[in-house]
Amino acid sequence: MIDMSNPQFDRYRLVLASSLTSRVFAEEVQLLPRLPRISIQRWTRAAEQIQAAIEQRWGFKIIMLDFLENKSGRERLAIAELRSHDRGPSPYWSHAWVHLNEIAEDEIFEFERAIVDRLLNNGATGRGPFSRFGWIEEACNWVGIEPSSNLTEFNGELKQLNAAANYALVRFARQSAPPIWFKAVRDPTAPEYRITSTLAKLLPEFLPPMVASREEWSAWWMEDAGDSLDDARSEGLFGHAALRLAELQKASIPHIHALLKSGCGDQRIAVLRARIPQMMDFIEDAMARKQSSPSPKLGRGRLREVWRILEEACFNLEALGIPDTLLHGDINLGNILTGHRCVFIDWAQASIGNPFVTFEQLRVQIAEDQNTAQWTPYMTEKYTKSWGQILSSSQINCALAVVPLISVALELCGRWTWLTSDRLHEARFQSYLRGLARQMDRAVRDLELREIICA
């Protein structure tokens, strides 16, 4: 039995709706219809876990449609659509399908009830293209008639990993072919669809093959590209991934303008250098604030020294003449797939900048894991050997020396919208600023940049 008050779990109120009957699934508690509760492990994919829990508990195959937030501290509301029921009549006598107005008033907030009522009566909540009945069937029909799709018939099995009114990530099994994936990010502030579509045209050999796309939904279908590097660990695969990263970056050089136009962020060193004074002012202010952390404060004098060295590092890295390339922005083992070829996914935070930044971000993750740390020299060798085709050893070595400091600073630069919003004053973000300041200080000390910075 799961302890519902356990902080390791998240609890949801469930609205499971039938499009055929316009009713919702309820459980009887003290003779009143109540919304069922679902608890899942915290920090897991909610849509995937709730989908699995519902099928295991009641035998229902469902598709998640939406999640509603509230500020009361009460459980979030998860909205799902019934697709089929494989077990016949439910063995749970205390459960039944009821009209929404039969659900107790204290079970669902007024604004939530209005949203669910729109879904039941109109087939859509109005919150987005995936918060409505039947969208999953429409997506299947759409890709099935695409002339480029050449799909084998779906076998009906699907796994939903992400769900929201404007977001979706679903894995579909096929009868005599590998699975196929559907992903959608319909958000004007999130350029992932535009970036991915552009990369699929310009650099298709480094992404899973795109089967079809639909601009109206900011959605695309892509072929399965194998296991992630996190699931298939070996020195050879890690080295090959580093090599492929270098090849991708070099191949992106002629396309910088098109990638910036598609929505990639601008993290070129000149942009970072121009933001250093304001960035360090934010850090100084955060460091001066009261903090409960036992970590020592960095005084204003030391922060100014870090500022000076960071600025010098930027000038020297620019002077090396290394071409700007595509940066991933969220590089991790889960975003590197190792099927018959190594490809990269999840380009929501892609940007343009110095290529060694992305490699440094990947290297740090691997070096900090005791199970993979021993492979970092081999990865570095593969990565730098590829860049050695167009760069000198001096350029490469100097870049590797200063990029740890540059990489930390760019992490904050990539959060610039936070720095210019009310979020700046949140205690959590203030702590984040102090943590980055300490990372930059360690980068200066560990690498002895005062002596190593290239002239």
Side-chain angles (χ1 to χ4, degrees):
M1 178 69 69
I2 294 175
D3 178 4
M4 299 302 186
S5 63
N6 191 324
Q8 295 182 0
F9 290 86
D10 286 321
R11 195 182 189 204
Y12 294 83
R13 292 168 293 143
L14 174 65
V15 169
L16 176 55
S18 168
S19 61
L20 295 178
T21 65
S22 298
R23 297 191 179 197
V24 298
F25 190 58
E27 62 180 353
E28 187 178 290
V29 179
Q30 296 180 348
L31 303 180
L32 292 175
R34 299 277 183 179
L35 296 178
R37 266 49 173 187
I38 298 285
S39 285
I40 63 169
Q41 190 83 33
R42 184 163 291 179
W43 315 124
T44 58
R45 293 180 183 267
E48 179 183 14
Q49 297 301 315
I50 292 176
Q51 183 186 52
I54 291 173
E55 183 169 0
Q56 179 181 24
R57 193 163 160 189
W58 296 298
F60 297 139
K61 290 189 179 297
I62 62 98
I63 191 78
M64 295 302 304
L65 301 182
D66 212 341
F67 291 91
L68 302 185
E69 300 281 358
N70 65 76
K71 298 181 180 180
S72 69
R74 195 175 186 182
E75 308 103 323
R76 294 175 68 191
L77 190 72
I79 304 176
E81 176 188 359
L82 176 70
R83 299 184 67 234
S84 67
H85 185 196
D86 288 351
R87 295 183 186 167
S90 171
Y92 296 87
W93 63 269
S94 60
H95 291 78
W97 291 91
V98 303
H99 293 290
L100 181 62
N101 59 14
E102 296 179 67
I103 297 292
E105 288 188 9
D106 61 352
E107 279 289 274
I108 184 167
F109 294 112
E110 185 176 349
F111 84 93
E112 295 172 330
R113 190 180 292 270
I115 290 172
V116 176
D117 188 65
R118 286 199 299 270
L119 175 67
L120 294 171
N121 291 313
N122 303 326
T125 67
R127 286 167 44 83
F130 313 113
S131 186
R132 62 186 178 89
F133 289 141
W135 78 260
I136 197 75
E137 285 76 19
E138 184 179 341
C140 292
N141 293 335
W142 152 56
V143 75
I145 62 175
E146 283 281 337
S148 62
S149 61
N150 191 28
L151 295 180
T152 306
E153 184 181 354
F154 295 127
N155 65 12
E157 294 183 14
L158 63 85
K159 177 183 287 188
Q160 190 176 18
L161 278 75
N162 288 340
N166 288 299
Y167 300 87
L169 179 61
V170 186
R171 177 185 181 273
F172 292 82
R174 294 188 284 174
Q175 296 205 13
S176 56
I180 191 169
W181 292 81
F182 174 87
K183 185 169 186 178
V185 186
R186 190 174 179 269
D187 182 345
T189 66
E192 185 175 1
Y193 171 74
R194 299 195 310 274
I195 294 172
T196 303
S197 298
T198 301
L199 289 174
K201 294 175 183 175
L202 299 178
L203 302 164
E205 65 272 28
F206 297 102
L207 276 73
M210 184 179 287
V211 175
S213 63
R214 184 169 181 173
E215 188 171 0
E216 175 191 354
W217 287 1
S218 295
W220 65 98
W221 288 89
M222 55 189 168
E223 294 182 7
D224 186 83
D227 294 331
S228 73
L229 200 58
D230 203 20
D231 297 322
R233 298 187 174 198
S234 74
E235 184 179 48
L237 287 175
F238 275 52
H240 184 60
L243 174 63
R244 288 284 286 173
L245 175 60
E247 291 174 345
L248 164 61
Q249 292 175 323
K250 289 188 294 182
S252 73
I253 294 172
H255 306 297
I256 297 304
H257 177 73
L259 292 171
L260 285 169
K261 189 176 180 180
S262 75
C264 286
D266 191 345
Q267 292 205 346
R268 288 175 287 191
I269 300 302
V271 174
L272 170 62
R273 180 165 47 79
R275 288 179 169 175
I276 288 175
Q278 188 176 4
M279 186 169 66
M280 296 306 291
D281 284 343
F282 291 137
I283 288 177
E284 283 186 18
D285 180 69
M287 194 61 71
R289 291 175 183 268
K290 183 179 179 180
Q291 53 182 302
S292 57
S293 171
S295 301
K297 287 185 178 181
L298 294 176
R300 188 172 185 271
R302 177 57 182 170
L303 289 174
R304 292 284 167 166
E305 181 69 3
V306 171
W307 172 356
R308 184 190 66 79
I309 293 173
L310 173 59
E311 191 171 48
E312 186 178 348
C314 287
F315 277 119
N316 283 281
L317 189 56
E318 286 179 281
L320 293 174
I322 297 173
D324 292 313
T325 72
L326 177 69
L327 305 183
H328 189 281
D330 187 24
I331 194 72
N332 60 65
L333 301 185
N335 287 337
I336 304 174
L337 306 183
T338 59
H340 69 279
R341 60 177 179 173
C342 178
V343 297
F344 303 86
I345 59 172
D346 288 356
W347 291 98
Q349 300 178 47
S351 61
I352 300 301
N354 186 280
F356 287 79
V357 170
T358 291
F359 177 71
E360 170 64 13
Q361 292 166 346
L362 180 62
R363 186 200 66 80
V364 167
Q365 294 176 54
I366 294 169
E368 290 179 347
D369 185 338
Q370 62 179 1
N371 297 315
T372 59
Q374 70 272 20
W375 298 335
T376 53
Y378 181 64
M379 289 185 64
T380 303
E381 177 189 350
K382 287 292 186 179
Y383 183 79
T384 56
K385 185 176 181 179
S386 179
W387 273 106
Q389 296 171 359
I390 62 173
L391 299 178
S392 69
S393 58
S394 176
Q395 286 174 301
I396 292 172
N397 291 334
C398 287
L400 289 175
V402 299
V403 79
L405 175 58
I406 298 290
S407 177
V408 177
L410 279 173
E411 182 178 341
L412 181 55
C413 197
R415 304 288 189 274
W416 200 252
T417 55
W418 295 4
L419 291 171
T420 55
S421 70
D422 292 339
R423 192 166 189 176
L424 172 64
H425 305 292
E426 294 178 3
R428 181 179 298 182
F429 189 60
Q430 292 284 307
S431 176
Y432 169 75
L433 289 175
R434 291 190 289 269
L436 286 182
R438 296 186 185 100
Q439 289 183 48
M440 285 192 282
D441 181 57
R442 285 194 295 271
V444 170
R445 296 181 185 280
D446 292 347
L447 295 175
E448 299 180 342
L449 287 177
R450 299 184 194 193
E451 290 78 24
I452 294 177
I453 286 180
C454 308

